[in-house]
Amino acid sequence: MDFRTVTHTTNEQDHMEPPQMRQKQLSCLQGESEERDKGSTIESFVTNFSNIYESELLPARNGEEFTEHFLHEVVDILLSYIKKTYDGKSKVLDFHHPHQLLEGLEGFNVELSDQPQPLEQILVDCRDTLKYGVKTGHPRYFNQLSSGLDIIGLAGEWLTATANTNMFTFEIAPVFIVMEEILLKKMHEIIGWGECKADGVFSPGGSISNLYSVLVARYKRFPEIKTKGMAALPDIALFVSEHSHYSVKKAAAVLGIGIDNVVTVKCDARGKMIPSELERTILKVKRQGKVPLYVSATAGTTVYGAFDPLDNIADICEKYNLWMHVDAAWGGGLLLSRRHSFKLSGIERAHSITWNPHKLMGVPLQCSAFLVREKGLLQACNQLCAEYLFQPDKQYDRAYDTGDKTIQCGRHVDVFKFWLMWKAKGTQGFEILINRFLELAEYLYKELKTSKNYELVFDAEPELTNVCFWYIPPSLRQIPKGPEREKRLHQIAPKIKARMIEEGTAMVGYQPHGNNVNFFRMVFSNPATKKSDIDFLLEEIERLGKDL
Amino acid sequence: MDFRTVTHTTNEQDHMEPPQMRQKQLSCLQGESEERDKGSTIESFVTNFSNIYESELLPARNGEEFTEHFLHEVVDILLSYIKKTYDGKSKVLDFHHPHQLLEGLEGFNVELSDQPQPLEQILVDCRDTLKYGVKTGHPRYFNQLSSGLDIIGLAGEWLTATANTNMFTFEIAPVFIVMEEILLKKMHEIIGWGECKADGVFSPGGSISNLYSVLVARYKRFPEIKTKGMAALPDIALFVSEHSHYSVKKAAAVLGIGIDNVVTVKCDARGKMIPSELERTILKVKRQGKVPLYVSATAGTTVYGAFDPLDNIADICEKYNLWMHVDAAWGGGLLLSRRHSFKLSGIERAHSITWNPHKLMGVPLQCSAFLVREKGLLQACNQLCAEYLFQPDKQYDRAYDTGDKTIQCGRHVDVFKFWLMWKAKGTQGFEILINRFLELAEYLYKELKTSKNYELVFDAEPELTNVCFWYIPPSLRQIPKGPEREKRLHQIAPKIKARMIEEGTAMVGYQPHGNNVNFFRMVFSNPATKKSDIDFLLEEIERLGKDL
């Protein structure tokens, strides 16, 4: 289908159209046209949307046919995009700078006006939005921990959008509330918490889930925080590792604890928190007169994919009576793999856990679970009993009104796509997927280890799907290791990345970390990625970087 | 289409099927079947999904046809639901208690298993999920401030799900980042802030937007909060009205300020904050040695739909150097109506504003804007400069990486559906819509005023679409006003609501408020609602309640 590009034609067009034209359109929609037999495909029976406006869609009288046909057109655009996404030969993106997008590209004007645009323009806008976006499901998109486009998850999200409801009460989201309970129970079981006691909530992302962990830990120890604020508390301290995600610090800033009270614990070369360093740091903080409250251990760090030694950390938390949180936003999925779950051994001793199914498990964005071992704590910490939502005289069991557990009021339905994917894959389907991601990481690791053009940031078999490396262009290969080489090496990854984005052939992340200058971080969480895509990426990095 | 209900048959079924069967399915999918001419509809060319699993969808080799056909089946289910939603004769919901849903209904089993389910079961589950849910777009769904199902917004959400990306960087969400900027600028213009200086972010709901307002207000006055926490601050106080939303109190609990430091200001009978009371309360708090920091005025209260006198409140905020926030989550949409926008006069003097397009403007959930007048404050307050996301050596203007403005890391794309609706409706389309909601509220108000069976909670023309009233059943009509009557009246609305839910004929909220016992709160934000639906609701309340 080819839609003419219609821009700014609204004023010149007559909103009313001749009755016979409308009639023809309707007959096409109803599938009654005799033209059908002339060997044309279904797609050729298009309505001309150039004179039709959204006001003629449902709930407009007789809007059913236009609505149906319009949504089918949208779906055709989406299907075409999905196919392109999975086609390794297509580009990952067609890069334009912010000012170019703001100024408007051919037929694509992002400005808003007082006048309505015809549906044809809306369809063009949909196509252009996808055209100038990034195909995060493309087999060569390795840019973030979340990638891929699961078809079942996608269907789930389409349904969620159509249901258009809110998680605050059972009353208006009965099925989704029950699904949230089922999913939380399942995750508790897998963690090893048993199914009855634990609690939790799906939140808008891992950072908010980590914020919940500090919030609940603080409330558990000092329930007066809720009414009196931090003024009633002693100076508290939180502990994270050097390699932990920045969200715990962000939570400390938000919660009025202050970033200075988040104490960083040293890691080993592999990026794992050193338990003896944790203990040393706790004792040091105590000597300073602060009250150690909370440790966030990481199961799958963002950059290195490292797993902190959870059992050792749990021992220390028990010894000093600290809340133990495990940020398994990225690595939590490994619990579904019988081959790899041992890496999270000890997670069952945590008081709370962040686990993002939108990462390793491939659920569409967003889907993040905050799980807490003590039932009722979330509710006690956050409830304010707003009477307009949580009426005490409802006819059903009000324990299913989850809104008062949360720091939100309205809450997006993030569970259905996850539930549907679990139905469609079964637990075993997730296991197969995750094992394959690990195999891809091992393959890349071995390729890099035997290549003279690359250096690994740390030489160890991947524990998660992260593989960190430098590309060493020919110009740097003869320079001895030292500040001069480091300085030049630091510029290589950004330059290659910039060229890669300009060409749109692949996307991979880079960053400096600690003493390590800019290096690439590959991660695998995309079911579409094959070994040949890894081969391509390495060749592409060389192609783009060999003259640097 | 009728799908056989397939439950737990995975183990007994052979995953491999005879080649000729697969061949037949594929030929149907490709539209090559000669059966097409036999007068059957498109819908009859269905694949038999009973032996097909998600592992055969994309990215599986040759998965294109199955994927396309599966998604078309899903869309058919959704279209059928959409049509039912708009059909006033259909039920709003088919109520079941939590335990009934958990135990499983005919063919609908919410439990998850290790084994995958065939796609046919997945389609059945989709239909059942909708069947046992609540039609929030139904013309007789009046339960929450968000209602309706805008077709363009829905299409936008389907596209958003398909694009499956994240708002933290321009790199992976270039078009959506630019659209967010355009929408924020447009909202600033409408508020009267001018387009260049203001700032903001779309957040996961009004409560989080209100939390941002306190966070930013606190940081502006006491920037040391970020590093040192509340320990470095004097005792601060926040001011809200009796009728304000509970989210400011929730924010105070989360942010370590404490609910006790949120001071409630009295309202008049209409639910508007009394400015002289605000000033009196500020002075009282100062005498107690606390530092007044922040006032949240409400433009459209949750229950009464009242507008606080913003100009008077702004005068007081200026006088005492307080941050002025306006919670226009519900009423913000009125700014688009030339007839009604005067009710928010003075909003341009606010330092920050919450405005939820997912309420009065009918954007699908979720879509909430937090707007702040001083550019750069959000970034300064929240940034932590994580190097793995916000690399300083990117090739594009990094001001477009918005992730460090927020308390989240990943952030759902909530802007596209809103942008697309604005394109399709134009500003004038929103105005028409919102004016009509107000007309419906006026119609209901007049109906109630002339009816002997109803009493208004406050007798005043609606300023927003809220209309609050009691139904007085015959048994209460002769009882003089007093505690006995109040006690009995308090039970009427919950009983009628319970019956209404059991019958599924409509949904309307109720609550007590202050000294007023349980009353119904009608709100209009659904484009499908007509005057006849209002007539229906009043008759239905009488039918269900006349024997009480």
Side-chain angles (χ1 to χ4, degrees):
Chain A
M1 268 163 299
D2 235 83
F3 292 99
R4 272 185 308 114
T5 301
V6 180
T7 45
H8 303 298
T9 53
T10 318
N11 291 331
E12 299 99 90
Q13 285 177 352
D14 187 357
H15 196 158
M16 298 303 293
E17 66 222 44
Q20 68 277 21
M21 184 178 170
R22 170 63 55 85
Q23 192 48 49
K24 181 154 184 295
Q25 288 159 2
L26 280 173
S27 72
C28 291
L29 288 166
Q30 288 158 351
E32 291 165 4
S33 169
E34 306 77 6
E35 293 174 33
R36 165 154 299 174
D37 298 335
K38 293 182 185 166
S40 54
T41 62
I42 297 168
E43 281 74 13
S44 67
F45 292 89
V46 293
T47 304
N48 177 358
F49 282 121
S50 62
N51 284 319
I52 301 176
Y53 290 77
E54 68 88 31
S55 55
E56 297 180 63
L57 301 176
L58 283 173
R61 184 190 294 266
N62 300 326
E64 286 202 2
E65 288 81 2
F66 282 133
T67 299
E68 190 163 340
H69 206 59
F70 170 73
L71 288 174
H72 273 140
E73 293 292 345
V74 171
V75 168
D76 281 342
I77 291 167
L78 300 180
L79 283 169
S80 149
Y81 176 78
I82 291 165
K83 286 184 212 165
K84 261 189 228 143
T85 288
Y86 282 113
D87 173 8
K89 278 162 261 151
S90 75
K91 281 192 172 190
V92 179
L93 79 165
D94 180 6
F95 180 77
H96 290 80
H97 283 279
H99 68 89
Q100 293 174 307
L101 290 168
L102 281 165
E103 286 156 11
L105 299 160
E106 197 192 344
F108 187 42
N109 174 5
V110 290
E111 291 294 336
L112 302 166
S113 70
D114 289 347
Q115 307 300 319
Q117 297 291 322
L119 295 183
E120 182 165 311
Q121 182 61 45
I122 297 304
L123 292 168
V124 169
D125 286 340
C126 285
R127 288 201 307 164
D128 285 344
T129 297
L130 293 169
K131 179 172 180 222
Y132 297 113
V134 174
K135 297 193 194 80
T136 60
H138 192 286
R140 293 170 187 172
Y141 173 86
F142 309 105
N143 214 64
Q144 313 294 151
L145 303 184
S146 299
S147 65
L149 182 61
D150 187 274
I151 299 298
I152 302 290
L154 181 64
E157 199 69 337
W158 289 1
L159 184 145
T160 299
T162 312
N164 193 31
T165 194
N166 196 316
M167 293 293 281
F168 46 39
T169 62
F170 175 84
E171 189 170 317
I172 68 161
V175 182
F176 300 131
I177 289 282
V178 160
M179 286 172 177
E180 181 171 49
E181 167 141 323
I182 294 284
L183 284 164
L184 290 171
K185 269 168 86 172
K186 196 81 187 169
M187 294 171 95
H188 295 155
E189 263 176 63
I190 288 167
I191 286 163
W193 277 350
E195 61 172 74
C196 287
K197 278 180 284 179
D199 205 344
V201 72
F202 281 79
S203 95
S207 286
I208 300 289
S209 291
N210 284 343
L211 183 145
Y212 270 114
S213 72
V214 182
L215 188 67
V216 168
R218 180 174 71 172
Y219 176 79
K220 172 68 180 170
R221 183 90 157 261
F222 304 107
E224 62 273 29
I225 181 71
K226 189 170 171 180
T227 49
K228 308 278 177 218
M230 288 296 287
L233 268 60
D235 286 343
I236 58 173
L238 317 175
F239 299 83
V240 298
S241 90
E242 294 177 302
H243 281 248
S244 66
H245 191 260
Y246 69 99
S247 48
V248 174
K249 283 191 181 165
K250 197 158 256 193
V254 171
L255 300 179
I257 295 168
I259 294 169
D260 289 353
N261 296 309
V262 182
V263 185
T264 305
V265 179
K266 281 195 179 148
C267 290
D268 63 19
R270 181 64 186 82
K272 293 168 182 285
M273 188 192 280
I274 304 169
S276 61
E277 282 293 321
L278 172 62
E279 186 157 19
R280 194 182 64 76
T281 317
I282 290 169
L283 291 170
K284 187 176 156 199
V285 163
K286 280 169 83 102
R287 282 195 302 273
Q288 291 166 347
K290 290 186 186 175
V291 177
L293 176 76
Y294 160 106
V295 178
S296 176
T298 311
T301 59
T302 311
V303 180
Y304 282 19
F307 289 86
D308 287 343
L310 301 183
D311 261 321
N312 298 337
I313 293 169
D315 290 342
I316 294 167
C317 288
E318 275 176 20
K319 184 171 170 186
Y320 295 97
N321 189 30
L322 308 191
W323 184 278
M324 180 181 171
H325 175 65
V326 176
D327 178 358
W330 172 221
L334 244 55
L335 289 167
L336 294 162
S337 162
R338 281 164 289 188
R339 197 184 302 159
H340 297 288
S341 62
F342 73 92
K343 295 167 187 172
L344 293 99
S345 177
I347 195 170
E348 71 285 356
R349 296 171 68 187
H351 297 91
S352 61
I353 295 166
T354 292
W355 176 356
N356 287 7
H358 72 215
K359 293 195 162 87
L360 206 58
M361 297 175 78
V363 178
L365 289 158
Q366 62 193 23
C367 191
S368 170
F370 171 66
L371 307 157
V372 58
R373 204 164 65 192
E374 184 178 328
K375 198 170 175 80
L377 207 51
L378 259 178
Q379 180 87 7
C381 177
N382 292 316
Q383 77 180 349
L384 283 174
C385 302
E387 284 178 318
Y388 81 96
L389 274 179
F390 313 115
Q391 298 91 339
D393 36 22
K394 284 184 178 178
Q395 85 264 46
Y396 59 81
D397 179 356
R398 285 170 56 239
Y400 290 90
D401 283 354
T402 61
D404 229 9
K405 279 189 194 178
T406 77
I407 62 169
Q408 301 179 265
C409 173
R411 186 159 57 99
H412 192 256
V413 177
D414 295 332
V415 290
F416 179 67
K417 58 195 166 192
F418 185 25
W419 179 88
L420 200 67
M421 281 176 68
W422 208 312
K423 276 272 174 182
K425 284 190 201 303
T427 315
Q428 62 176 221
F430 283 118
E431 183 176 34
I432 291 166
L433 196 68
I434 288 163
N435 284 344
R436 207 171 60 213
F437 296 151
L438 270 289
E439 282 162 23
L440 289 173
E442 284 156 24
Y443 174 77
L444 172 60
Y445 166 73
K446 281 173 190 157
E447 288 293 304
L448 292 170
K449 209 169 151 59
T450 57
S451 163
K452 284 177 189 157
N453 305 339
Y454 291 95
E455 271 176 34
L456 290 158
V457 173
F458 51 89
D459 186 4
E461 289 265 348
E463 294 189 339
L464 196 45
T465 77
N466 308 49
V467 181
C468 298
F469 61 92
W470 292 281
Y471 168 66
I472 316 290
S475 69
L476 289 191
R477 284 179 208 161
Q478 305 311 323
I479 304 178
K481 290 194 176 177
E484 175 57 22
R485 184 177 183 268
E486 293 290 284
K487 193 182 153 198
R488 288 180 59 184
L489 185 56
H490 187 59
Q491 295 167 355
I492 300 300
K495 284 183 184 160
I496 293 174
K497 171 73 177 266
R499 290 177 176 183
M500 199 182 274
I501 281 186
E502 291 283 351
E503 300 209 11
T505 46
M507 279 182 87
V508 55
Y510 75 86
Q511 65 283 299
H513 202 285
N515 292 327
N516 291 317
V517 299
N518 276 326
F519 57 87
F520 288 114
R521 179 204 64 177
M522 274 286 282
V523 280
F524 298 95
S525 61
N526 186 341
T529 300
K530 295 192 290 284
K531 285 180 183 171
S532 57
D533 297 306
I534 298 174
D535 298 338
F536 173 87
L537 184 85
L538 294 182
E539 284 160 24
E540 185 68 358
I541 287 175
E542 293 199 39
R543 184 179 76 82
L544 295 168
K546 66 184 174 210
D547 66 329
L548 293 174
Chain B
M1 269 162 299
D2 234 84
F3 293 100
R4 273 184 308 116
T5 302
V6 179
T7 46
H8 301 301
T9 53
T10 319
N11 291 329
E12 300 98 89
Q13 284 177 353
D14 187 357
H15 196 160
M16 298 303 292
E17 66 221 46
Q20 68 275 20
M21 186 176 168
R22 169 65 54 85
Q23 192 48 51
K24 182 154 186 295
Q25 288 160 2
L26 280 173
S27 71
C28 291
L29 288 167
Q30 288 158 350
E32 291 164 5
S33 168
E34 304 77 7
E35 291 174 35
R36 165 155 299 174
D37 298 335
K38 294 181 185 168
S40 55
T41 63
I42 297 167
E43 279 75 15
S44 67
F45 292 90
V46 293
T47 304
N48 176 358
F49 281 121
S50 62
N51 283 318
I52 300 176
Y53 289 78
E54 67 89 30
S55 55
E56 298 179 63
L57 300 176
L58 283 172
R61 185 191 293 267
N62 300 325
E64 286 202 1
E65 288 81 1
F66 282 133
T67 299
E68 191 163 338
H69 206 60
F70 170 74
L71 288 174
H72 273 139
E73 292 292 344
V74 170
V75 169
D76 281 342
I77 291 168
L78 300 180
L79 284 170
S80 149
Y81 176 80
I82 291 165
K83 286 183 211 163
K84 261 189 227 144
T85 288
Y86 282 113
D87 174 8
K89 280 163 260 151
S90 74
K91 280 190 172 192
V92 179
L93 79 165
D94 179 5
F95 181 77
H96 291 79
H97 282 280
H99 68 89
Q100 293 174 306
L101 289 168
L102 281 164
E103 286 156 12
L105 299 160
E106 196 192 345
F108 187 40
N109 174 5
V110 289
E111 291 294 336
L112 301 167
S113 71
D114 289 347
Q115 308 299 321
Q117 298 290 322
L119 294 183
E120 182 164 313
Q121 181 63 43
I122 297 304
L123 293 168
V124 170
D125 287 340
C126 285
R127 289 201 305 164
D128 285 344
T129 297
L130 293 170
K131 180 174 179 216
Y132 297 113
V134 174
K135 296 193 195 82
T136 59
H138 192 287
R140 292 168 187 173
Y141 173 88
F142 309 105
N143 215 64
Q144 314 293 150
L145 303 185
S146 299
S147 65
L149 182 61
D150 186 275
I151 298 298
I152 302 291
L154 181 65
E157 199 69 337
W158 289 1
L159 184 144
T160 300
T162 311
N164 192 31
T165 195
N166 196 317
M167 293 293 282
F168 46 40
T169 61
F170 175 84
E171 189 171 319
I172 68 162
V175 182
F176 300 131
I177 290 282
V178 161
M179 287 171 177
E180 181 170 49
E181 168 141 323
I182 295 283
L183 284 164
L184 290 171
K185 268 169 85 172
K186 196 82 188 168
M187 293 170 95
H188 296 155
E189 263 176 63
I190 289 166
I191 287 163
W193 277 351
E195 62 173 73
C196 286
K197 278 180 283 178
D199 205 344
V201 72
F202 281 79
S203 94
S207 286
I208 300 289
S209 291
N210 283 344
L211 183 145
Y212 270 114
S213 72
V214 182
L215 188 66
V216 168
R218 182 175 68 173
Y219 176 79
K220 171 69 180 170
R221 182 89 158 262
F222 304 106
E224 62 273 29
I225 180 72
K226 189 170 171 181
T227 49
K228 308 278 176 220
M230 289 295 288
L233 269 59
D235 287 343
I236 58 174
L238 317 176
F239 298 83
V240 299
S241 90
E242 295 178 302
H243 281 248
S244 67
H245 191 259
Y246 69 99
S247 47
V248 175
K249 284 191 179 164
K250 197 159 257 193
V254 170
L255 301 179
I257 294 168
I259 294 167
D260 289 354
N261 296 310
V262 182
V263 186
T264 305
V265 179
K266 281 195 181 150
C267 290
D268 63 19
R270 182 63 186 82
K272 293 169 182 286
M273 187 191 279
I274 303 169
S276 61
E277 281 293 321
L278 172 62
E279 185 157 21
R280 195 184 63 76
T281 317
I282 290 170
L283 291 169
K284 188 177 155 198
V285 163
K286 280 167 84 100
R287 282 196 303 274
Q288 291 167 349
K290 290 186 186 174
V291 177
L293 176 77
Y294 160 106
V295 178
S296 176
T298 311
T301 59
T302 311
V303 180
Y304 282 18
F307 289 85
D308 287 343
L310 301 183
D311 261 321
N312 298 337
I313 292 169
D315 290 342
I316 294 168
C317 287
E318 276 175 20
K319 183 171 173 187
Y320 295 98
N321 189 30
L322 308 191
W323 183 278
M324 180 181 171
H325 175 65
V326 176
D327 178 358
W330 173 221
L334 244 56
L335 290 167
L336 294 160
S337 161
R338 282 164 288 191
R339 197 184 304 159
H340 297 287
S341 62
F342 73 93
K343 295 167 187 171
L344 293 98
S345 176
I347 194 169
E348 71 286 355
R349 297 172 66 187
H351 297 91
S352 60
I353 295 166
T354 293
W355 175 356
N356 287 6
H358 71 216
K359 292 195 162 87
L360 205 58
M361 296 175 78
V363 179
L365 289 159
Q366 61 193 24
C367 191
S368 171
F370 172 66
L371 307 157
V372 57
R373 205 166 61 191
E374 183 178 329
K375 196 169 177 78
L377 206 51
L378 259 177
Q379 180 87 7
C381 178
N382 291 316
Q383 77 180 349
L384 283 174
C385 303
E387 285 178 317
Y388 81 96
L389 274 180
F390 312 115
Q391 299 91 339
D393 37 22
K394 285 184 178 177
Q395 85 264 47
Y396 59 81
D397 179 356
R398 285 169 56 240
Y400 289 89
D401 283 353
T402 61
D404 229 9
K405 277 188 195 179
T406 75
I407 63 169
Q408 301 181 265
C409 174
R411 187 159 59 100
H412 192 257
V413 177
D414 295 333
V415 290
F416 179 68
K417 57 194 167 193
F418 185 25
W419 179 89
L420 200 68
M421 280 174 68
W422 209 311
K423 276 272 173 180
K425 285 189 202 303
T427 314
Q428 63 177 221
F430 284 117
E431 182 177 35
I432 292 166
L433 197 67
I434 288 163
N435 284 345
R436 205 171 60 213
F437 295 150
L438 270 287
E439 282 162 24
L440 289 173
E442 284 155 25
Y443 174 78
L444 172 60
Y445 166 74
K446 281 173 190 156
E447 288 294 303
L448 291 169
K449 209 169 151 60
T450 57
S451 164
K452 284 177 189 158
N453 304 339
Y454 291 94
E455 272 177 32
L456 290 158
V457 173
F458 51 90
D459 187 3
E461 288 266 347
E463 294 190 339
L464 196 44
T465 77
N466 308 48
V467 181
C468 298
F469 61 92
W470 291 280
Y471 168 67
I472 315 291
S475 69
L476 289 191
R477 284 177 207 161
Q478 304 313 321
I479 305 178
K481 289 196 176 175
E484 175 58 22
R485 185 177 182 271
E486 294 290 283
K487 194 181 152 199
R488 287 181 60 183
L489 185 58
H490 187 58
Q491 296 167 356
I492 300 300
K495 284 182 182 159
I496 292 174
K497 170 74 177 266
R499 290 176 177 181
M500 198 182 275
I501 281 185
E502 292 283 350
E503 301 208 12
T505 46
M507 279 182 87
V508 55
Y510 74 87
Q511 65 282 297
H513 202 284
N515 293 326
N516 290 318
V517 298
N518 277 323
F519 56 88
F520 289 113
R521 179 203 65 178
M522 274 287 280
V523 280
F524 299 95
S525 60
N526 187 341
T529 300
K530 295 192 290 285
K531 285 180 182 170
S532 57
D533 298 305
I534 298 174
D535 298 338
F536 173 87
L537 183 85
L538 295 182
E539 283 160 25
E540 185 68 359
I541 288 175
E542 293 198 40
R543 184 180 74 82
L544 295 168
K546 65 184 173 209
D547 66 329
L548 291 174

